[in-house]
Amino acid sequence: MSKSVRFILIGLLVLLLMLVRGFSSKLFYDPFITYFQNDYLLSGFPKYESWKLFLNLLLRYLINGLISLGIIFLFFQNSKVVKFAIKFYAILFVGLIIAYFGLLETQFSSGYLLGFYIRRMLIHPVILIVLLPAFYYQKKLSKKN
């Protein structure tokens, strides 16, 4: 696949990530969207349905993750990198979702910022922003040796 085709496809996948973000409030159940947008220090903790929230977080994470894996594959064209990224995404999801629901159970009593950032990691493609430079650096190091 030529470089120009790869970069066009990467651009389309980035556009897809932007569309997921743009239509997220219409597509996914998340009562914490308005909670964190408004004055959450003074407003009450929102009521939420655990299973519905979990399934919607999982769905959004999967959509963002699959698009991100497509970007990683097109950028590096290396199946080992993609396999590592899949494992990384899976392990991170388990850890983040456990931490997030643990914080929800306490209504963010240890502080709202930790919950805010864990939620952000679950619903936005932040992991892609971390993995791309890491894989690129690893690729550069391996070429030197």
Side-chain angles (χ1 to χ4, degrees), residues 1-139:
M1 183 180 316
S2 71
K3 263 190 174 180
S4 57
V5 171
R6 284 183 24 225
F7 285 119
I8 289 170
L9 290 173
I10 289 170
L12 290 173
L13 289 174
V14 169
L15 181 64
L16 272 177
L17 286 174
M18 291 167 49
L19 288 171
V20 169
R21 170 79 168 114
F23 291 104
S24 64
S25 61
K26 294 177 183 160
L27 296 173
F28 304 105
Y29 167 76
D30 190 355
F32 294 94
I33 290 174
T34 55
Y35 176 73
F36 284 118
Q37 284 177 347
N38 296 327
D39 196 2
Y40 46 86
L41 292 174
L42 301 176
S43 63
F45 194 78
K47 293 182 184 202
Y48 64 95
E49 297 177 44
S50 296
W51 278 105
K52 191 173 180 181
L53 180 61
F54 172 78
L55 291 175
N56 278 268
L57 288 172
L58 174 63
L59 180 62
R60 190 163 175 186
Y61 190 84
L62 285 174
I63 291 170
N64 284 330
L66 289 172
I67 296 169
S68 298
L69 288 170
I71 292 170
I72 291 169
F73 174 74
L74 288 169
F75 195 85
F76 296 102
Q77 294 188 322
N78 184 332
S79 62
K80 288 182 181 179
V81 169
V82 175
K83 287 177 186 176
F84 176 83
I86 290 169
K87 292 174 188 174
F88 188 77
Y89 269 91
I91 291 168
L92 199 58
F93 177 76
V94 171
L96 289 172
I97 204 73
I98 289 170
Y100 187 62
F101 275 92
L103 290 169
L104 287 179
E105 285 298 311
T106 64
Q107 297 186 357
F108 301 132
S109 64
S110 61
Y112 61 89
L113 278 179
L114 183 59
F116 174 78
Y117 286 116
I118 289 174
R119 179 181 162 275
R120 180 163 279 187
M121 293 281 292
L122 287 167
I123 67 171
H124 298 304
V126 176
I127 301 163
L128 177 66
I129 297 168
V130 172
L131 287 180
L132 274 180
F135 289 146
Y136 183 75
Y137 182 71
Q138 181 65 34
K139 183 179 174 181

